[in-house]
Each structure stands twice: as C-alpha cells, then as structure tokens.
C-alpha cells in the first residue's frame, strides 16, 4: 500500500510553462515536505507545510488537510528546474516518514 | 548557508565488511536522520535520533545497523556486516525541530557499493 501517491510520474514542459505536481496521501500528518532531487542525486528541501500555502521565488506549495492533498506549482519554468520532485510526509503517529516515488520533471528550452 | 556534510561521497566495500558513514549536521540542529535510496527506487526512512537516542526507526533498520553521535558534531551510521542489497545512496539530514523554514537540510549523500 502506498501512503503517498504523486502525479504525474513524468512531466515534460516547455520553458516558461506553468507546472503543477500533485501529491495525495492517506495517513494523518504533522507536516508535508516537498523535496527536489537533482540529477546528481543531492536532495534539497523546498517546503515544509502543515496548512495553507507557501511561496518561495517561482515555487508555490499548497496543502488541503481535509482533502489530504498537496500541490507544488512552478511558475515560468526554466530548464534548471529539471529534477525529480518528491512529496514526503511526517506522520502524526509516532515518527514515521513516508516518501512518494517522485515526479521527474524535464523543462525543454 | 549552513550545510550538512557527509563523508565519504562514495564507498566501495566487500560483502561482510563493516562500514561507517559519517555526517556532520548543522551545528544548532537537534534532530538527525538517516535515509537511503536504492538505485531507481524511492527514498526510504531508516532512523531518527534526538537527545542522544533513537526516537524512531523503520523496519529496514535492523540489528546490522546502528547510529551514534560520538562527539558534539558527528553523527554516524554503522552497517556491521554489509550485504549486496545494502548498496544504495545514504542521506543524512538534520532539522532544528522548530517547524519553520523548509524543515530539513540534507547532506549530499554517500553512495555505498557492496561488492
């Protein structure tokens, strides 16, 4: 069973396009994270959310706790945004962490 | 910007050998984590550590694994008798536990290859 489902699995976009990556989950959470994994393997934490919306530069993350759904949006996408974006959960039962399988984004110039 | 440092970046070891993966978390962080990612698979949680003890561990973190904070700065993951299936990228992360900012800071990972 997958506690975290991401969609789409793969996404190709033209430079400048608005991108949305979705994350649905089935467990109670204390926080949801969006991570970016570069082609070289390194992981960067983009957002930690427990409610509402956060914005950082061209990135926006939203969460709807009632619907157990989060979205990551990238405005004016750029080839350097090409990476795998991972949704990860801090469960509110104990200290369990769940990771999505990631969305592989390729932005074409 | 503060960083989480992991060493070595790549380690090759023979099956059955012990390995120690090292991490230097951000100095004012209190919570430390190890994750692994087998090639082509998703990231998996191994263990979390707070106040000098394990606070949570996954089913993967069995008796062959141990963690230690031997001094005020290092946080290590030891694998006692490595198996081929332990080959993976191992990530260390730390957080201040405040729930602010982006939450966690990840190290750049150690790629472990067991031959």
């Amino acid at each position: 069973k997958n506690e975290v489902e991401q969609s789409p699995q793969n996404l190709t976009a033209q430079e400048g396009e608005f991108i949305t990556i979705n994350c649905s989950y089935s467990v109670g959470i204390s926080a949801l994270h969006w991570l970016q994994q570069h082609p070289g393997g390194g992981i960067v934490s983009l957002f930690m959310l427990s409610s509402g919306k956060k914005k950082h530069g061209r990135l926006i993350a939203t969460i709807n706790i009632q619907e157990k759904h989060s979205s990551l949006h990238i405005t004016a996408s750029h080839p350097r945004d090409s990476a795998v974006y991972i949704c990860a959960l801090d469960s509110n039962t104990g200290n369990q962490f769940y990771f999505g399988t990631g969305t592989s984004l390729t932005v074409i110039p | 910007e503060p960083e989480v440092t992991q060493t070595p970046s790549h380690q090759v070891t023979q099956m059955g050998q012990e390995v120690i993966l090292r991490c230097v978390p951000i100095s004012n962080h209190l919570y430390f984590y190890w994750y692994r990612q087998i090639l082509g698979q998703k990231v998996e949680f191994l263990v979390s550590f707070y106040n000098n003890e394990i606070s949570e561990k996954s089913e993967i973190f069995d008796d062959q694994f141990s963690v230690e904070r031997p001094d005020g700065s290092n946080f290590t993951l030891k694998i006692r008798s490595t198996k081929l299936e332990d080959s993976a990228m191992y990530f260390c992360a730390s957080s201040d536990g405040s729930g602010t900012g982006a939450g966690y800071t990840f190290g750049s990972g150690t790629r472990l290859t067991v031959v």
Side-chain angles (χ1 to χ4, degrees), chain A residues 21-98:
Chain A
I21 299 170
N22 295 299
C23 175
S24 296
Y25 55 92
S26 58
V27 297
I29 65 168
S30 57
L32 181 145
H33 302 260
W34 281 102
L35 312 173
Q36 181 192 53
Q37 187 167 31
H38 297 289
I43 296 176
V44 174
S45 188
L46 299 174
F47 294 104
M48 181 173 70
L49 294 163
S50 53
S51 65
K53 176 177 166 178
K54 285 189 176 179
K55 184 175 190 291
H56 183 69
R58 295 181 294 106
L59 303 178
I60 303 166
T62 63
I63 188 167
N64 184 319
I65 298 291
Q66 287 73 33
E67 294 185 5
K68 294 189 172 174
H69 181 269
S70 175
S71 294
L72 176 69
H73 305 285
I74 306 175
T75 61
S77 59
H78 190 276
R80 65 174 174 265
D81 297 326
S82 299
V84 175
Y85 292 84
I86 301 169
C87 174
L89 311 177
D90 284 343
S91 167
N92 60 9
T93 55
N95 206 9
Q96 289 295 321
F97 300 83
Y98 302 100

Side-chain angles (χ1 to χ4, degrees), chain A residues 1-4 33 35 37 40-48 54 86 90 94-102, chain B residues 33 35 37 42-45 48-49 55-58 89 91 98-108 111:
Chain A
K1 113 186 143 150
N2 286 323
E3 293 82 2
V4 188
H33 302 260
L35 312 173
Q37 187 167 31
I43 296 176
V44 174
S45 188
L46 299 174
F47 294 104
M48 181 173 70
K54 285 189 176 179
I86 301 169
D90 284 343
N95 206 9
Q96 289 295 321
F97 300 83
Y98 302 100
F99 288 82
T101 52
Chain B
Y33 311 86
Y35 304 93
Q37 187 177 32
K42 64 180 181 180
V43 178
E44 299 172 293
F45 166 70
S48 59
F49 192 87
S55 48
E56 195 68 31
K57 59 183 181 179
S58 70
M89 182 77 100
F91 293 100
S98 67
T100 60
Y104 300 97
T105 303
F106 284 82
S108 55
R111 184 170 297 284

Side-chain angles (χ1 to χ4, degrees), chain B residues 56-105:
Chain B
E56 195 68 31
K57 59 183 181 179
S58 70
E59 292 174 352
I60 302 166
F61 194 87
D62 60 22
D63 290 343
Q64 69 161 153
F65 291 93
S66 62
V67 289
E68 200 175 38
R69 190 155 160 81
D71 53 43
S73 59
N74 289 285
F75 178 51
T76 61
L77 174 70
K78 183 191 290 187
I79 310 175
R80 280 190 191 82
S81 177
T82 49
K83 307 184 202 119
L84 294 175
E85 54 265 36
D86 294 326
S87 295
M89 182 77 100
Y90 288 81
F91 293 100
C92 172
S94 68
S95 74
D96 62 10
S98 67
T100 60
Y104 300 97
T105 303

